[in-house]
Amino acid sequence: MTGTSFIEEEVIASCRKNDRRAQELLYRHFAKKMYGICLGYAGERPMAQDILQESFIKVFKNIGKYKQDGSFEGWIRRIVVNTAIDHIRRRNRSNEFIDSEPEDSSLHVQNQAMKMMGYKEIMQQVQRLPEGARLIFSLYAVDGYTHKEIAEKLEITEGTSKSQFNRARKLLMGFLGNMNL
Amino acid sequence: MDFLNWYKNIFESADEEPPGEVWEAIQDELDIDTVWTSVENELPVRGRTRYIFAMAAAASLVAIIGTGTLLWFLSNDPSPVRGRLHTWQTAPAYSTEDPEIRTPIRAPLPFPATRQVIHPETMVVTATQYSRPVQEEGTLSPAGLLPGYLTTYEPYLLLAEINIFPSGERQATTEPGREDIRFWGGFSGHIANTWLLNNKTLMGLRPDEFTASLPSFGYNLGIVTGAEITGRFALQAEFSFISLTRQDYNEYLYGKYITNSMQFDYRRLSLSGKWNFAGNVTNGRHWLILGGYSGLLRDARQNLDGELLSLKEDYNYIDYGILTGYEFEYPVSRRLSAALGIQSKIGIRNIFAGNEIIPYYLNSTRNMSVNLTMSIRYNSR
């Protein structure tokens, strides 16, 4: 880990000087992980690629502002998440919610079935969620934001955040359960 | 298994490579950003630089014209100093306490010359002084012989002649004439270390850049003429019917490291003022030079790794700038002189006119050169 952080410091220092090789090294190091996050928020590849591109441009332009008192990966991740939120808002899709409570019939996904599922299968099902609900679900489930924080970020009520999260979870579990039938 | 943890783990462990186009797009965006940042930073600086250059050029022209005009009028000033005979008269002042003795003459006659500052190296002053007895009746009547007083006196006038004329003239002329001005004409040649100053060639001076600017040399051939208005100041015009500017640089282009050479053929006219700050006619004189130049572009070419391209449409036909320099002029014979000097010329104008790909302000280019100058001249006197 010491070696990694040492390299990270060097790469950050070079990126601050706009060294293109260092920028590419940094991108290659974090691109896969951040692309996964983008896919989780976007639900579709073209939009995820746009979010990833915009996020890394912000990273390189603002790398001088990064104070090395926290995780660098965490800093990049925050930029990616905020960019995803902005992107979805710009498309006016952040208020696409689940209107009715999903039925409980397909609530349960078997553990064994869960283990069999791959990332791509899950992505296909996530894409079926309305964008606003998917955004809330990802913020809570993947990035660990509280409902209060989500409400502030998306300018909705905390109750809306909670209800949309629960509905999105039920719906997704239903989609995944139906896959195993 | 908790659904949320499972979901999170699936996304955290996602291992999908984004397509290569994403990084290409990021690079393009960063390049555009770098260019615009540089443009935004540079435009105000260029504006200031252009203003400073324009003011410096204007101030230089005013100084040259003003100094030249002043020296011209001074050299033609018909004051009585130059070549006139100045005589003043005075007489000894006699003083006595005796009221019986009248004091006939006390005040000197007024001095007719105007006040002049005369440089000792260029002017010769001759003076002659003599006395002449004066016969005056009834101007002084001593009342007998008194002890301690003058018993006799001889009134006289002191006469002085002061003649001032420029060195080299055997005798003073009564009126200054145009024959005082020395004219010359001859041939001139320069060997010049030339530079095209722009972002690329300036960055090429940095050792960590792929582009490497190389020392480039051109030459000028032409005629020179001038007039020495005073012993210290002269005006000079030089017309170069061939004035070659070059810039060579190595560049990493299309995956290859190639040599790039740009060549500009100008006709140039320069006008300058010269100040003789040391030396003399016999042993040679040292001049400082300040002036301006203007150039007319005849041809512009680029040799890009053996491929010849015409650049004439991309560059302005007119260029102008300022020049400063030093010259040592040595007499070869009574009428012939040779001069050797060094001049630096810097263009004020952006010579790049722009093309359909690059606007003029993104590739601001100026001429600059350091010239070793040589000339041979025939002098009117």
Side-chain angles (χ1 to χ4, degrees):
Chain A
M1 289 304 287
T2 312
T4 306
S5 81
F6 176 72
I7 291 168
E8 196 172 275
E9 281 171 11
E10 277 197 346
V11 169
I12 291 168
S14 299
C15 284
R16 282 179 173 151
K17 293 174 191 166
N18 287 321
D19 182 330
R20 185 54 52 83
R21 278 167 292 190
Q23 287 171 335
E24 186 171 1
L25 206 64
L26 188 144
Y27 171 79
R28 302 273 176 226
H29 188 73
F30 291 107
K32 279 185 186 176
K33 195 163 204 171
M34 297 305 153
Y35 188 48
I37 294 165
C38 293
L39 281 167
Y41 281 94
E44 57 182 77
R45 282 183 171 74
M47 188 176 162
Q49 287 159 19
D50 286 349
I51 295 169
L52 187 71
Q53 177 187 327
E54 201 176 319
S55 301
F56 270 95
I57 289 164
K58 283 181 185 172
V59 166
F60 294 132
K61 283 184 182 176
N62 295 288
I63 200 161
K65 295 177 189 168
Y66 167 64
K67 297 180 177 53
Q68 290 167 313
D69 51 1
S71 150
F72 185 54
E73 186 182 326
W75 183 74
I76 294 178
R77 193 177 178 130
R78 276 199 301 281
I79 290 176
V80 171
V81 170
N82 287 333
T83 307
I85 294 170
D86 290 343
H87 226 84
I88 292 164
R89 270 187 175 167
R90 280 206 296 270
R91 286 159 51 116
N92 289 324
R93 300 263 180 93
S94 60
N95 54 359
E96 283 187 0
F97 294 132
I98 304 163
D99 297 329
S100 55
E101 195 71 29
E103 292 177 11
D104 286 343
S105 57
S106 56
L107 265 178
H108 303 293
V109 188
Q110 297 300 318
N111 279 357
Q112 201 57 33
M114 283 162 70
K115 283 178 188 169
M116 296 289 287
M117 281 183 207
Y119 170 75
K120 285 183 183 172
E121 288 81 33
I122 296 167
M123 277 305 304
Q124 283 172 356
Q125 302 310 314
V126 169
Q127 279 178 30
R128 295 172 65 187
L129 292 174
E131 283 203 39
R134 187 171 62 231
L135 186 58
I136 292 168
F137 184 78
S138 294
L139 284 170
Y140 189 90
V142 182
D143 283 292
Y145 284 84
T146 64
H147 287 299
K148 193 179 175 188
E149 287 167 336
I150 293 168
E152 282 170 4
K153 266 189 182 299
L154 302 183
E155 294 171 355
I156 54 175
T157 64
E158 207 174 325
T160 306
S161 175
K162 279 179 187 170
S163 66
Q164 286 300 313
F165 169 75
N166 284 323
R167 287 175 187 181
R169 184 170 59 92
K170 283 180 191 173
L171 204 57
L172 186 58
M173 286 175 81
F175 291 154
L176 295 171
N178 286 338
M179 278 179 70
N180 294 303
L181 292 176
Chain B
M1 188 189 290
D2 177 53
F3 175 74
L4 291 182
N5 278 337
W6 169 78
Y7 183 85
K8 188 177 178 180
N9 287 339
I10 288 283
F11 274 90
E12 293 287 341
S13 59
D15 194 24
E16 186 169 334
E17 186 82 47
E21 294 85 50
V22 176
W23 172 241
E24 297 296 324
I26 292 170
Q27 282 195 98
D28 289 347
E29 196 75 26
L30 291 173
D31 285 342
I32 291 167
D33 193 56
T34 307
V35 169
W36 277 111
T37 307
S38 135
V39 169
E40 279 171 3
N41 291 339
E42 201 162 324
L43 281 179
V45 175
R46 284 182 185 178
R48 275 201 304 276
T49 310
R50 195 173 297 135
Y51 177 75
I52 291 166
F53 269 122
M55 292 305 289
S60 304
L61 278 174
V62 168
I64 289 168
I65 293 167
T67 313
T69 309
L70 180 68
L71 290 169
W72 174 271
F73 278 115
L74 283 178
S75 66
N76 288 284
D77 183 5
S79 71
V81 172
R82 189 185 181 89
R84 294 280 177 83
L85 181 67
H86 306 290
T87 305
W88 74 83
Q89 300 177 345
T90 185
Y94 288 88
S95 175
T96 175
E97 298 297 320
D98 190 338
E100 294 297 318
I101 299 174
R102 288 193 297 131
T103 305
I105 305 163
R106 289 192 69 87
L109 295 173
F111 179 57
T114 55
R115 187 176 176 187
Q116 296 280 329
V117 177
I118 301 164
H119 199 284
E121 288 179 9
T122 55
M123 307 299 276
V124 171
V125 179
T126 62
T128 311
Q129 185 176 326
Y130 56 91
S131 60
R132 189 175 73 197
V134 174
Q135 297 298 323
E136 290 187 72
E137 289 184 7
T139 54
L140 187 64
S141 300
L145 296 172
L146 297 171
Y149 286 90
L150 290 170
T151 54
T152 60
Y153 76 99
E154 291 181 359
Y156 60 90
L157 286 175
L158 280 177
L159 295 176
E161 289 181 12
I162 297 177
N163 207 349
I164 305 167
F165 50 86
S167 61
E169 292 182 17
R170 288 299 173 192
Q171 63 183 46
T173 56
T174 52
E175 288 296 331
R178 290 298 171 97
E179 64 271 18
D180 293 337
I181 300 172
R182 176 174 71 103
F183 293 97
W184 71 81
F187 297 99
S188 69
H190 298 197
I191 296 170
N193 175 208
T194 59
W195 292 92
L196 284 178
L197 298 180
N198 60 29
N199 280 343
K200 184 181 275 188
T201 55
L202 289 173
M203 283 177 71
L205 297 173
R206 290 167 49 178
D208 57 339
E209 284 293 323
F210 276 130
T211 304
S213 299
L214 305 173
S216 316
F217 294 91
Y219 58 88
N220 297 0
L221 287 174
I223 52 174
V224 62
T225 183
E228 186 182 330
I229 295 163
T230 71
R232 291 279 171 190
F233 185 77
L235 292 173
Q236 181 169 285
E238 186 176 358
F239 176 66
S240 300
F241 40 84
I242 297 175
S243 180
L244 197 66
T245 297
R246 285 184 59 193
Q247 178 65 64
D248 298 342
Y249 55 95
N250 290 335
E251 187 178 26
Y252 193 72
L253 198 66
Y254 310 131
K256 285 195 300 181
Y257 205 53
I258 59 167
T259 299
N260 202 329
S261 177
M262 297 171 85
Q263 184 169 308
F264 295 79
D265 293 340
Y266 281 100
R267 282 203 173 101
R268 282 202 171 104
L269 174 68
S270 65
L271 297 170
S272 50
K274 295 170 65 175
W275 178 57
N276 172 209
F277 67 97
N280 56 48
V281 175
T282 312
N283 297 319
R285 292 195 284 178
H286 302 270
W287 299 88
L288 284 180
I289 302 170
L290 180 65
Y293 75 85
S294 181
L296 177 69
L297 184 68
R298 298 168 63 212
D299 196 14
R301 296 182 298 278
Q302 185 175 21
N303 186 332
L304 191 64
D305 200 25
E307 186 186 356
L308 281 175
L309 305 167
S310 174
L311 299 176
K312 202 173 175 186
E313 298 305 315
D314 295 351
Y315 285 83
N316 289 312
Y317 283 21
I318 303 291
D319 176 33
Y320 48 84
I322 54 174
L323 70 90
T324 58
Y326 159 82
E327 191 175 80
F328 177 66
E329 186 184 9
Y330 188 78
V332 178
S333 67
R334 187 166 167 268
R335 297 278 182 167
L336 278 179
S337 64
L340 192 68
I342 188 164
Q343 279 184 14
S344 72
K345 294 181 176 180
I346 185 156
I348 294 171
R349 192 180 193 199
N350 171 16
I351 58 168
F352 184 66
N355 54 37
E356 64 272 12
I357 301 168
I358 309 169
Y360 71 95
Y361 52 86
L362 282 183
N363 185 33
S364 182
T365 306
R366 284 185 175 78
N367 273 310
M368 188 193 166
S369 67
V370 178
N371 300 18
L372 184 68
T373 66
M374 292 154 282
S375 61
I376 185 92
R377 295 137 179 214
Y378 179 80
N379 299 283
S380 64
R381 62 175 177 84

